[in-house]
């Protein structure tokens, strides 16, 4: 028996098939993963993501601490509620975890603080690492918020239906949000973020209020979706999954995360910076790409990718794409790989197209 | 628990067999199997005319979640395959014991039928696996 979120009983009541996920009993699907996937692309679905770890970073040195801890630069956050995606690296430049950090106050105020959301499977090592690194700063406090549940409402109708499920003042706040921005509301935190490639919200709610919110969303017409659909949605959107696309042995340059490294200002020292600079200088030998198989068959993680005359790589995530009707994958391959490759599938070499690792955004195909 | 029709026979690898009484059998995968697989997206079937021995690979079912081999539950020649599954693989999920059938075999050795499981024995087998 694993940990249970405050929505566990709601999942069971809605017919979820429950599986273990990083020590949590979580819904895989409520009948059909494909239908749930399509619901998010065409209307609105909701996911229980309460297993994710929320850590508040406060204190006079909170900002300088995060500027040292993360490869991306929280100084870029220049508006209250704005969010930043970043890798948290080790000294070798490998990815300890990927996370989202929100600026919770106006920028630069003395009470400035941040909220960080990290993965559940890496919770313990992340918290240990974050605690260890704060020793270099005088005034940083880390406060985990385990009593906050989290629901992601995603899809083209997500905002419209979520507004029906909340009170009038929160509905107004939802209207006020720009993309990648969050806002506090009487113990809630409502953010316009997600992991599906669609518009939507991630809403942090006190555990004792979340069942009512979930039910209100269901009454408004939002369909419950499991972790199965969450995975195919993020894969189509070309979003990395920690443990698949990157881990402590992979640096962001090898994981299509170069855009999350803030090299400027040069004076900012962050953990992993010197290792990344050396790696960049030496030349990055691998890259993360997208694979498309338009014929029959399904690409799967760990299948071998063969690029004639160049070398070999490996699929990091692969699945059938419900939106496109064929299989897509992300793969780490030699940097010299061109626009085609073969994948070894069940003993046979199958030709695939190679391109950027993004396939669907806002319901539309985005590769040619 | 899955509701397995009592007029069918089963094997432990989760195929069902309907004995047609004319020396042929129809083969598919069980409700339990389709539930484990999740949404089926491709089905690869043997070619008509193929001679299969009991336990041979006879095809592949690919779901969103995983690829799974289909085994010949008996020895025989493939005399028909369900071509509808090429365009509508989801039929394996929606009607595993009916329109979701896979292929038909003309048996080489009808005595092999004696080793098949009945519905109760198969249900017990599923429970022992879970």
């Amino acid at each position: 028996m694993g940990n249970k979120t405050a929505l566990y009983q709601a999942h069971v009541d809605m017919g979820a098939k429950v599986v273990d996920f990083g020590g949590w009993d979580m819904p895989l699907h409520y009948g059909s993963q494909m239908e749930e996937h399509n619901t998010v692309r065409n209307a609105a679905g909701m996911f229980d993501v309460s297993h994710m770890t929320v850590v508040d970073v406060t204190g006079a040195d909170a900002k300088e601490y995060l500027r040292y801890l993360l490869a991306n630069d929280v100084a870029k956050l220049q508006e209250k509620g704005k969010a930043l995606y970043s890798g948290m690296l080790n000294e070798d430049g490998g990815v300890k975890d990927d996370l989202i950090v929100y600026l919770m106050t106006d920028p630069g105020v003395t009470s400035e603080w941040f909220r960080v959301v990290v993965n559940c499977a890496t919770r313990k090592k992340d918290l240990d690492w974050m605690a260890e690194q704060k020793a270099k700063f005088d005034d940083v406090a880390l406060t985990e918020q385990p009593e906050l549940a989290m629901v992601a409402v995603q899809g083209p109708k997500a905002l419209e239906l979520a507004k029906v499920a909340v009170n009038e003042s929160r509905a107004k706040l939802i209207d006020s949000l720009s993309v990648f921005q969050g806002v506090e509301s009487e113990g809630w935190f409502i953010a316009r973020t997600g992991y599906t490639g669609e518009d939507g919200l991630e809403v942090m709610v006190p555990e004792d209020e979340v069942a009512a919110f979930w039910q209100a969303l269901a009454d408004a017409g939002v369909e419950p979706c499991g972790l199965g659909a969450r995975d195919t949605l993020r894969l189509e959107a070309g979003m990395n999954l920690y443990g698949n696309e990157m881990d402590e042995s992979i640096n962001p340059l090898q994981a299509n995360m170069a855009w999350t490294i803030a090299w400027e200002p040069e004076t900012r020292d962050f953990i992993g910076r010197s290792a990344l600079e050396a790696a960049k200088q030496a030349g990055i030998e691998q890259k993360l790409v997208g694979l498309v198989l338009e014929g029959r068959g399904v690409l799967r993680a760990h299948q071998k990718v063969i690029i004639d005359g160049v070398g070999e790589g490996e699929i990091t995530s692969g699945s059938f794409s419900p939106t496109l009707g064929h299989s897509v994958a992300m793969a780490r391959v030699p940097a010299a790989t061109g626009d085609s490759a073969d994948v070894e599938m069940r003993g046979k070499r199958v030709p695939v197209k190679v391109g950027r690792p993004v396939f669907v955004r806002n319901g539309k195909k985005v590769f040619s | 628990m899955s509701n397995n029709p009592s007029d069918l026979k089963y094997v432990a690898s989760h195929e069902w067999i309907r004995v047609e009484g004319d020396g042929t059998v129809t083969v598919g995968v069980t409700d339990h199997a389709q539930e484990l697989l999740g949404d089926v997206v491709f089905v690869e079937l043997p070619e008509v005319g193929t001679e299969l021995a009991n336990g041979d690979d006879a095809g592949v079912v690919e779901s969103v979640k995983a690829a799974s081999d289909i085994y010949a539950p008996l020895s025989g020649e493939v005399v028909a395959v369900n071509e509808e599954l090429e365009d509508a693989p989801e039929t394996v999920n929606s009607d595993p014991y009916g329109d979701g059938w896979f292929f038909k075999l003309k048996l080489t050795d009808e005595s092999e039928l004696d080793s098949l499981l009945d519905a109760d024995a198969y249900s017990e087998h599923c429970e022992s696996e879970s």
Side-chain angles (χ1 to χ4, degrees), chain A residues 10-277:
Chain A
H11 301 320
V12 172
D13 293 344
M14 286 176 162
K17 178 174 169 54
V18 173
V19 295
D20 173 70
F21 184 83
W24 291 80
D25 289 343
M26 299 301 287
L28 180 65
H29 60 71
Y30 301 78
S32 168
Q33 174 177 341
M34 292 256 273
E35 282 171 25
E36 291 163 21
H37 178 111
N38 293 332
T39 296
V40 172
R41 288 277 179 255
N42 301 321
M46 57 185 177
F47 303 82
D48 179 11
V49 288
S50 305
H51 57 305
M52 298 200 70
T53 304
V54 180
V55 185
D56 290 345
V57 183
T58 53
D61 296 324
K63 182 176 183 178
E64 286 313 309
Y65 163 74
L66 288 171
R67 295 189 76 202
Y68 173 69
L69 184 75
L70 305 179
N72 212 338
D73 188 355
V74 295
K76 289 182 189 169
L77 297 171
Q78 284 299 323
E79 195 182 340
K80 186 178 180 179
K82 272 290 180 182
L84 187 75
Y85 175 73
S86 181
M88 178 165 72
L89 311 183
N90 60 30
E91 295 289 355
D92 300 326
V95 183
K96 287 197 83 79
D97 200 5
D98 65 334
L99 54 82
I100 291 215
V101 54
Y102 298 92
L103 171 63
M104 299 297 282
T105 56
D106 285 321
V109 298
T110 48
S111 59
E112 190 174 40
W113 66 282
F114 300 83
R115 173 164 282 174
V116 176
V117 182
V118 302
N119 284 302
C120 88
T122 48
R123 174 184 168 275
K124 177 76 170 69
K125 76 162 191 181
D126 287 356
L127 293 176
D128 289 350
W129 178 256
M130 290 170 75
E132 190 185 325
Q133 301 308 323
K134 94 181 165 75
K136 301 183 180 73
F137 298 83
D138 289 335
D139 185 11
V140 177
L142 302 175
T143 313
E144 195 184 352
Q145 301 289 357
E147 74 290 352
L148 277 182
M150 196 175 343
V151 176
V153 190
Q154 302 279 299
K157 291 191 175 168
L159 270 58
E160 177 194 326
L161 298 182
K163 284 193 289 179
V164 178
V166 297
N167 63 33
E168 206 173 314
S169 68
R170 288 186 177 131
K172 280 193 181 133
L173 289 174
I174 290 171
D175 274 332
S176 74
L177 288 174
S178 62
V179 172
F180 239 58
Q181 185 182 31
V183 61
E184 282 189 282
S185 165
E186 298 163 71
W188 290 33
F189 184 70
I190 306 170
R192 197 159 164 200
T193 50
Y195 193 48
T196 61
E198 299 295 329
D199 199 357
L201 302 169
E202 290 177 304
V203 187
M204 299 176 203
V205 186
E207 274 183 334
D208 57 355
E209 296 177 55
V210 72
F213 177 49
W214 181 267
Q215 187 58 50
L217 287 166
D219 293 343
V222 182
E223 297 283 340
C225 301
L227 294 177
R230 188 167 159 83
D231 192 50
T232 48
L233 288 158
R234 72 91 197 166
L235 173 61
E236 286 184 351
M239 293 171 167
N240 288 1
L241 172 62
Y242 190 79
N244 282 39
E245 277 65 50
M246 69 291 199
D247 58 33
E248 298 227 19
S249 70
I250 301 291
N251 72 44
L253 300 169
Q254 299 164 310
N256 197 37
M257 288 170 67
W259 63 278
T260 69
I261 305 167
W263 298 102
E264 303 289 336
E266 278 176 38
T267 50
R268 182 177 71 103
D269 183 32
F270 62 84
I271 300 168
R273 177 168 193 138
S274 52
L276 281 185
E277 283 172 347

Side-chain angles (χ1 to χ4, degrees), chain A residues 330-341:
Chain A
M330 291 198 261
R332 188 142 27 247
V333 297
T337 303
D339 60 4
S340 65

